[in-house]
Amino acid sequence: MVKIRLQRIGKKKAPFYHIVVADSRSPRDGKIIEQIGTYDPMKEPAVINLDKEKCETWMKNGARPTDTVKALIEKA
């Protein structure tokens, strides 16, 4: 199963995330299929960069977003 989820990139106490398409069996920071955006919760307000076209394409092809990513997509 393919999921759209967050991949943590930031340092300790300074989170930064890539929004990625990955196999649900791969580890959180493991192998990905494609990066479709970024999320920076440290800025005020939080910065969300998302390629909506790629996101829609992956969702049409059966990729399921996690609850957190679903909320970010609605905000973006």
Side-chain angles (χ1 to χ4, degrees), residues 3-6 64-74:
K3 290 205 174 253
I4 301 173
R5 64 185 184 192
L6 296 177
R64 301 269 179 230
T66 60
D67 294 338
T68 307
V69 172
K70 195 180 293 184
L72 292 175
I73 290 170
E74 289 172 7

Side-chain angles (χ1 to χ4, degrees), residues 3-64:
K3 290 205 174 253
I4 301 173
R5 64 185 184 192
L6 296 177
Q7 179 183 40
R8 186 177 169 127
I9 301 298
K11 296 185 282 186
K12 186 165 127 180
K13 306 224 183 206
F16 185 84
Y17 300 94
H18 286 168
I19 302 170
V20 298
V21 178
D23 191 296
S24 62
R25 296 169 292 185
S26 65
R28 178 191 72 182
D29 297 337
K31 186 178 176 187
I32 66 167
I33 299 170
E34 184 175 17
Q35 179 184 335
I36 60 173
T38 60
Y39 170 53
D40 186 359
M42 296 300 288
K43 300 246 168 83
E44 193 58 48
V47 177
I48 304 166
N49 296 318
L50 183 65
D51 187 335
K52 292 180 182 166
E53 292 175 10
K54 285 184 182 178
C55 185
E56 291 295 323
T57 304
W58 277 106
M59 289 173 78
K60 284 179 187 170
N61 290 334
R64 301 269 179 230

